[in-house]
Amino acid sequence: MKVVDLSVDVAGGFAARLMGGSGLRVVRPRGGGPPVPTGDDLLRVYLDAGKEHLPCPASPSGLVDAEDLVFLTFDRGAYIGLPAGWTVEDLPAGCVRVTTSSFGTTGPYRTWRGGPLADWAAGGYLGITGDPDRPPLIGPEHLCGYVAGYTAAIAAEAALRHRARTGEPQRVDLSTMESMLSVHQSTFSRLAVGIVRERTGRYTEVYPLVVRPCLDGYVSLGVVTDAEFDRLAIAVGRAELAADERFADAAARWAHRDALDTELDTFLGARTAEQAVAVLVEHGVAAAKVVGPYEVLRNPQLAHRGFWRQPAGRGGSGRMPGDPVPAGVTLGSSPRSDRRRAGRARHRGALPLSGLTVLDFTAFWAGPLATRWLADLGADVVWVERPGSRAEPGGTTQDLTAEVMRVFHRKMNRNKRSVLLDLKTAAGRAAARRLAAEADLLVENFRPGVMAAFGLGPAEMCALNPELVYVSLSGFGASGPWAARRSYGPTIEAASSVEGRTGYPGGEPLRLGHTLPDATGGLAGALAALRGLRDRDASGRGGWFDVSQLEVYAALCGEEILAASLTGQDPPRIGNRSRHGGVQGVFRCAGDDAWIAVRLAGRRDLERLAEVTGLDGLARAARTGPRDDAAAEALIAGYTATRDKHRTAALLQDAGLEAFAVLGPAELLADDHLRARGFFVTARPGDTLPGSPLHSEPPLVDPRGPAPRFGAHTDEVLGQFGLPRPEIAHP
């Protein structure tokens, strides 16, 4: 089997690159389609790393075999980028096809023109990023496509597994819109209890989970719990702040956030970013310097782990991210020929992972998202919870934060079973080892060393069960000078260069409206698990996958890091403008906080917009050079200011232009396109939450199952695995 990359979008190209990182041969036909996007050499260099470029035959039969995996791109109602004379119908019937697009191959938007700016608007992140009194703000231009690429690689692995189990080829339809909506952590959980997420600039719902200036730049602080705030107070030399009523708990710190800024700025303003981070990390506070693409190349953690690669064919110049999902490490001995699979996992029909058991030692966001993917794909996910780790209140509560977390639990832990074990006791650890001895996968997202301290580390568990696929998902990886550091999504966002490139022109770096490193880490964790299963099918042995969320997120910055390595400079923050040659922006429309995102890729788009709008100035701008982007933006802004965002987007799309209304959470929930594709699912009456972005027939996923009550399956699961009742820990 080989991977044939016929895609011409970032999502498909990155997914194919990820599959190549697993050892599969990836090929592209020469002349098979335009670069991504047209004229952007470095993006193409990054996406094509490790791929073979072969002569393009006259028909697919000269390149594509029935056992192959094929990535395709769909836009404006048709497959695009195929070599001349090729059609999708001519591909071999047995091959697995994964089609990526902005909006999908079905639904009202299937004929619309997609692209990187439309992806930001349609995926719900544009509307919640930026200052409340300024235009909504994008992050790095192609970030949404990269997130969809991780998702498409998961789809590919699942489809390959389905074919291996059933002999049936799969056709998967995956949109960037739904891929982005599926990685909102709590946007729709909050909406379910009546809280609408909006733009809040640099502020998060928790304080001080924030970026603040220092002597030579900016520092990202990761402080969420009261204990972390106590450590922060000691670190900045102000232990008395821990007893200050203004900062007594999370609600008080949020209410007095400006006063807290003043207290922290005294410490930060006297230190460089590196000095401040060193002190904070020494006191156990999650912190990172906000860096750009050039500075991230000097990160000691990434250097230690050998993350960087040199692009081929450029004379040894330049560096770019390597594989964010590293190969598994074999730790156990040869599989025991007499080992009897317990066969105790729940079977969920023909789903790809039905009959496999996942032992889930995860918490917070990244780890639970990884195991939720495995559960949606049919695995029997046994979630190991510790006594007292969460409450299970009855009825409703007036505490909206608690209500949000309950809805979030129903979203993040659907299709799982909950087992209660106290790993601080010998009985609890023994039960966990017995479960691991029979499991197919184990996923954990503790800091490195925690599982080993319980006797449940990868070396011990893979020796106990050589067929076990063990996935560790930590902030920075299990080795290197940063391995022991605490991390939160915003600190990884700062260290990766994503935050350093997000912001209004001339302004401070800004976080995304909802932090993404945990979500992309979860996608990479699921991908590592699926890759490990495919490796095990071939070799009979499991292995350990050491996944670093920093590496996973830095991989979304490939072309910008490569460019910075060649220029020796960090790019400035440019707001919503393009670094890739187009005229684009987010423009105000009629109504309260109403906006439209418009991207014009080149001269022809400018001329077409002039025809549709009657803006003669745009036609003149298209014919003269150098192009005056500010003048073009002013003309577009004047046109959209008095018009409805939805009707204007439809008008421009009818003219073949990339345009999309900036949608808020409630608008997305009511969107006709998403309803037609059945994206949202009802977890229980009143809870409408994102389902799965994978569309196929037969389905590869079932995202409709319930989340477990605390410890509800303890007796059932341990009994199934033959563990006596005395080993079962109860609350």
Side-chain angles (χ1 to χ4, degrees):
M1 182 191 74
K2 65 181 179 295
V3 179
V4 182
D5 182 12
L6 301 178
S7 69
V8 290
D9 62 346
V10 171
F14 187 55
R17 186 186 195 270
L18 290 168
M19 299 303 291
S22 71
L24 294 177
R25 181 187 179 208
V26 184
V27 303
R28 277 184 68 84
R30 292 195 187 98
V36 185
T38 301
D40 189 357
D41 175 59
L42 295 184
L43 180 58
R44 186 76 271 167
V45 168
Y46 178 59
L47 293 177
D48 279 357
K51 300 175 185 177
E52 299 177 44
H53 287 75
L54 302 179
C56 184
S59 69
S61 62
L63 179 66
V64 185
D65 298 316
E67 65 269 20
D68 288 345
L69 164 66
V70 182
F71 287 99
L72 300 156
T73 299
F74 186 90
D75 193 48
R76 286 171 273 184
Y79 288 91
I80 63 170
L82 294 174
W86 287 32
T87 67
V88 171
E89 290 73 19
D90 292 333
L91 292 171
C95 69
V96 168
R97 295 185 344 213
V98 177
T99 299
T100 52
S101 62
S102 285
F103 307 115
T105 64
T106 64
Y109 301 152
R110 68 179 297 275
T111 59
W112 281 30
R113 179 175 174 177
L117 191 62
D119 292 340
W120 275 102
Y125 269 78
L126 181 54
I128 61 175
T129 300
D131 292 334
D133 57 349
R134 301 183 72 177
L137 186 67
I138 66 169
E141 196 165 340
H142 294 295
L143 184 143
C144 300
Y146 283 118
V147 173
Y150 277 121
T151 313
I154 291 173
E157 291 283 7
L160 290 173
R161 187 165 188 85
H162 172 86
R163 185 177 67 179
R165 284 166 53 98
T166 67
E168 301 171 350
Q170 268 284 5
R171 311 286 183 261
V172 185
D173 167 20
L174 184 135
S175 75
T176 300
M177 181 182 192
E178 292 172 344
S179 296
M180 289 300 293
L181 290 172
S182 70
V183 294
H184 281 254
Q185 180 192 22
S186 60
T187 299
F188 296 100
S189 304
R190 293 168 66 85
L191 187 63
V193 302
I195 303 174
V196 179
R197 172 164 275 127
E198 298 174 326
R199 297 191 305 284
T200 56
R202 65 182 181 85
Y203 297 111
T204 63
E205 293 100 0
V206 181
Y207 215 77
L209 196 64
V210 68
V211 169
R212 297 300 297 153
C214 59
L215 271 180
D216 63 344
Y218 295 85
V219 172
S220 174
L221 302 174
V223 176
V224 174
T225 67
D226 292 343
E228 289 168 344
F229 183 75
D230 292 348
R231 293 198 295 269
L232 173 65
I234 295 170
V236 301
R238 298 290 308 283
E240 69 275 12
L241 295 178
D244 192 318
E245 288 298 319
R246 296 175 300 168
F247 315 129
D249 55 26
R253 291 191 288 273
W254 171 255
H256 298 95
R257 56 192 179 276
D258 291 335
L260 182 52
D261 282 349
T262 300
E263 301 287 0
L264 296 176
D265 287 351
T266 301
F267 169 82
L268 294 171
R271 291 166 176 81
T272 66
E274 290 187 358
Q275 290 169 342
V277 168
V279 173
L280 294 167
V281 168
E282 182 182 0
H283 286 81
V285 177
K289 180 181 180 181
V290 179
V291 301
Y294 183 65
E295 194 165 1
V296 78
L297 287 162
R298 302 196 296 273
N299 182 291
Q301 178 69 8
L302 296 174
H304 175 90
R305 288 173 59 84
F307 181 57
W308 305 116
R309 300 288 185 272
Q310 287 189 333
R314 302 189 72 87
S317 63
R319 284 186 295 166
M320 61 186 182
D323 184 13
V325 183
V329 177
T330 301
L331 297 174
S333 58
S334 298
R336 302 195 306 269
S337 60
D338 62 342
R339 183 169 182 267
R340 179 178 57 85
R341 280 245 164 247
R344 297 176 176 121
R346 291 183 302 174
H347 283 261
R348 295 173 56 203
L351 295 176
L353 301 187
S354 180
L356 299 181
T357 299
V358 179
L359 202 53
D360 179 357
F361 292 93
T362 69
F364 305 112
W365 185 9
L369 178 61
T371 54
R372 191 196 74 190
W373 265 102
L374 303 178
D376 284 355
L377 288 164
D380 182 11
V381 175
V382 177
W383 179 24
V384 178
E385 301 195 75
R386 69 182 188 276
S389 58
R390 66 180 173 97
E392 193 75 68
T396 59
T397 173
Q398 297 302 310
D399 183 347
L400 287 181
T401 300
E403 281 294 292
V404 169
M405 293 310 298
R406 290 173 64 181
V407 179
F408 176 70
H409 162 66
R410 291 193 284 270
K411 169 196 169 189
M412 195 60 68
N413 296 303
R414 65 192 181 212
N415 286 320
K416 301 178 185 179
R417 293 197 284 175
S418 172
V419 170
L420 193 62
L421 294 178
D422 187 353
L423 298 182
K424 294 181 179 179
T425 68
R429 293 191 295 273
R433 284 193 292 272
R434 288 282 298 276
L435 292 174
E438 300 293 345
D440 297 280
L441 297 114
L442 186 154
V443 183
E444 59 92 7
N445 69 329
F446 293 107
R447 278 187 297 146
V450 171
M451 287 291 281
F454 288 130
L456 301 170
E460 297 92 340
M461 293 301 95
C462 289
L464 176 68
N465 178 0
E467 297 174 36
L468 181 69
V469 176
Y470 192 117
V471 178
S472 294
L473 186 56
S474 61
F476 304 108
S479 62
W482 287 20
R485 288 191 178 189
R486 299 175 185 272
S487 69
Y488 280 107
T491 55
I492 291 173
E493 196 164 77
S496 69
S497 84
V498 167
E499 188 162 22
R501 289 179 288 142
T502 303
Y504 298 102
E508 65 182 356
L510 282 177
R511 65 179 184 88
L512 299 182
H514 208 7
T515 186
L516 269 173
D518 292 280
T520 53
L523 295 175
L527 181 58
L530 291 165
R531 182 179 293 183
L533 289 174
R534 178 160 53 82
D535 290 346
R536 189 182 75 173
D537 289 344
S539 69
R541 303 177 69 169
W544 175 42
F545 289 81
D546 171 23
V547 180
S548 156
Q549 290 184 52
L550 176 60
E551 293 170 12
V552 169
Y553 211 53
L556 309 184
C557 313
E559 77 279 9
E560 297 287 358
I561 291 174
L562 178 55
S565 74
L566 296 170
T567 65
Q569 296 179 343
D570 280 324
R573 287 180 283 278
I574 59 173
N576 290 317
R577 285 187 170 177
S578 173
R579 300 187 195 275
H580 302 275
V583 174
Q584 68 178 36
V586 180
F587 304 99
R588 187 180 291 278
C589 293
D592 181 32
D593 199 34
W595 304 84
I596 186 172
V598 179
R599 174 181 169 84
L600 308 169
R603 175 177 173 175
R604 178 60 190 137
D605 282 353
L606 278 167
E607 292 174 339
R608 186 66 181 131
L609 182 60
E611 294 171 9
V612 173
T613 61
L615 296 173
D616 294 336
L618 282 177
R620 289 193 296 272
R623 293 191 297 267
T624 59
R627 190 179 66 207
D628 187 342
D629 285 1
E633 291 164 5
L635 288 169
I636 298 169
Y639 175 81
T640 64
T642 59
R643 289 170 168 81
D644 176 79
K645 65 180 183 180
H646 298 287
R647 287 194 289 270
T648 303
L651 174 71
L652 299 186
Q653 284 285 352
D654 285 345
L657 299 172
E658 181 184 338
F660 203 88
V662 178
L663 302 180
E667 293 173 302
L668 288 160
L669 197 62
D671 184 78
D672 288 340
H673 179 77
L674 295 171
R675 183 180 293 113
R677 287 173 61 82
F679 174 66
F680 287 104
V681 296
T682 301
R684 54 184 285 177
D687 292 353
T688 303
L689 300 168
S692 173
L694 272 60
H695 296 264
S696 64
E697 188 57 47
L700 292 171
V701 292
D702 180 1
R704 297 167 298 175
R709 293 183 64 83
F710 186 51
H713 304 94
T714 303
D715 291 348
E716 172 186 299
V717 170
L718 297 187
Q720 283 180 332
F721 281 80
L723 289 170
R725 188 174 181 82
E727 295 189 53
I728 299 173
H730 291 284

